[in-house]
């Protein structure tokens, strides 16, 4: 098993052949090139929510909650800079009324202020760590609703051609081995059917006919599948 180190792409490479079939004077094999890699971009959002009896009361509390949240993020190394971007969305204030179920009389009015903090960072492990700790803000009276971070890989497109080439090359090797056992010889390429890419958590067995792209983990496996048909000489 070869070990690859290509920029931010580190992992083991292996090639599989899922099966083969022969039709007339051809042989078709399905090869899959699988590699492991680590994400290099994390996207994460945090919603801060406050409530008050009046619009002014709600917004005043919201400013304090936002300060505590931004201070927490900064203390954990998350602030606008070269390696990451922190964007504050506009604050939104809504009025909610609670009515009596029988008389329809308004018995309570509450103002809710929402604001989202959008984060994109190349320090993926720090985002993962901070996400696991952000509920500490609840103990400080801050109502936060963090999303699950999305981990992606910025150089994925550069790897696709290389992986398909490896799958095609291995498919020929496998076809030649199968043909040799049958007393035949593999000829020229007749047809190529490029399949979908499966990007999954490490060692996952899940596949999708439309392809998949799991963003829940930093470490991932990517599999490229290619069906190749060769001519067979008797």
């Amino acid at each position: 098993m070869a070990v690859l180190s290509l920029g931010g792409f580190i992992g083991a490479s292996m090639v599989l052949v899922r099966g083969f079939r022969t039709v007339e004077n051809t042989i078709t094999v399905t090869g899959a090139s699988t590699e492991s890699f680590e994400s290099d971009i994390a996207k994460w959002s945090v919603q801060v929510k406050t409530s008050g009896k009046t619009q002014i009361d709600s917004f005043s509390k919201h400013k304090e909650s936002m300060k505590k949240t931004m201070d927490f993020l900064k203390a954990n190394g998350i602030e606008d800079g070269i390696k990451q971007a922190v964007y504050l969305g506009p604050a939104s204030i809504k009025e909610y009324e609670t009515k009596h179920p029988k008389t329809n009389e308004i018995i309570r009015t509450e103002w809710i202020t929402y604001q989202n903090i959008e984060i994109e960072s190349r320090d993926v492990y720090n985002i993962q760590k901070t996400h696991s700790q952000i509920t500490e803000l609840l103990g400080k009276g801050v109502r936060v609703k963090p999303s699950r971070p999305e981990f992606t890989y910025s150089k994925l497109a550069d790897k696709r051609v290389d992986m398909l080439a490896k799958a095609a090359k291995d498919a020929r090797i496998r076809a030649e081995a199968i043909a040799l056992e049958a007393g035949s010889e593999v000829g020229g390429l007749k047809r190529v059917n490029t399949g979908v890419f499966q990007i999954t958590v490490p060692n996952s067995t899940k596949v999708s006919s439309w392809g998949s792209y799991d963003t829940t983990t930093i470490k991932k496996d990517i599999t490229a599948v290619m069906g190749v048909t060769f001519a067979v000489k008797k």
Side-chain angles (χ1 to χ4, degrees):
M1 183 177 291
V3 177
L4 302 181
S5 179
L6 302 173
F9 198 107
I10 302 175
S13 174
M14 62 180 178
V15 183
L16 309 172
V17 170
R18 299 178 182 275
F20 74 94
R21 59 187 175 85
T22 58
V23 179
E24 298 178 348
N25 295 324
T26 64
I27 182 172
T28 298
V29 293
T30 303
S33 176
T34 299
E35 295 182 346
S36 299
F37 69 98
E38 289 191 358
S39 304
D40 61 357
I41 293 179
K43 292 183 178 180
W44 184 37
S45 66
V46 179
Q47 184 184 81
V48 180
K49 177 181 177 182
T50 55
S51 62
K53 294 181 179 180
T54 66
Q55 188 175 17
I56 295 175
D57 179 41
S58 176
F59 190 71
S60 177
K61 292 178 179 178
H62 178 73
K63 288 193 296 182
E64 182 62 27
S65 291
M66 283 296 295
K67 183 181 184 305
K68 290 179 180 178
T69 304
M70 296 303 292
D71 287 347
F72 172 84
L73 293 175
K74 186 176 181 179
N76 282 275
I78 299 176
E79 56 184 328
D80 210 27
I82 298 176
K83 291 187 176 182
Q84 57 194 0
V86 179
Y87 169 73
L88 296 182
S92 176
I93 304 177
K94 294 183 179 181
E95 181 184 16
Y96 292 87
E97 296 178 343
T98 302
K99 297 182 178 181
H100 193 282
K102 293 183 178 180
T103 65
N104 207 35
E105 179 185 359
I106 297 174
I107 58 177
R108 188 178 66 176
T109 299
E110 185 179 32
W111 290 84
I112 306 294
T113 304
Y114 306 86
Q115 191 167 12
N116 288 333
I117 304 169
E118 304 291 340
I119 302 162
E120 182 172 325
S121 175
R122 291 190 175 275
D123 193 345
V124 293
Y125 282 101
N126 187 47
I127 294 297
Q128 184 182 59
K129 176 183 72 69
T130 307
H131 172 259
S132 68
Q133 298 174 347
I134 196 168
T135 51
E136 293 175 6
L137 285 169
L138 295 174
K140 298 179 181 180
V142 180
R143 296 165 65 183
V144 290
K145 184 180 179 182
S147 70
R148 173 180 286 184
E150 295 183 354
F151 300 105
T152 57
Y153 184 56
S154 63
K155 300 177 181 178
L156 187 60
D158 297 336
K159 292 301 301 175
R160 287 175 174 165
V161 174
D162 178 59
M163 292 179 66
L164 289 174
K166 290 177 181 177
K169 181 179 180 180
D170 186 77
R172 185 173 188 90
I173 294 173
R174 302 298 180 177
E176 289 174 347
I178 294 168
L180 181 63
E181 289 295 321
S184 301
E185 181 181 348
V186 174
L189 182 67
K190 302 290 288 185
R191 185 171 61 253
V192 174
N193 180 22
T194 303
V196 296
F197 285 85
Q198 308 286 345
I199 302 175
T200 64
V201 299
N203 304 313
S204 173
T205 58
K206 292 184 178 180
V207 295
S208 169
S209 58
W210 299 101
S212 62
Y213 196 156
D214 183 273
T215 61
T216 62
T217 60
I218 294 175
K219 295 183 178 181
K220 308 179 192 298
D221 285 346
I222 178 171
T223 300
V225 178
M226 174 179 284
V228 185
T229 300
F230 299 96
V232 175
K233 302 175 183 178
K234 296 294 185 180

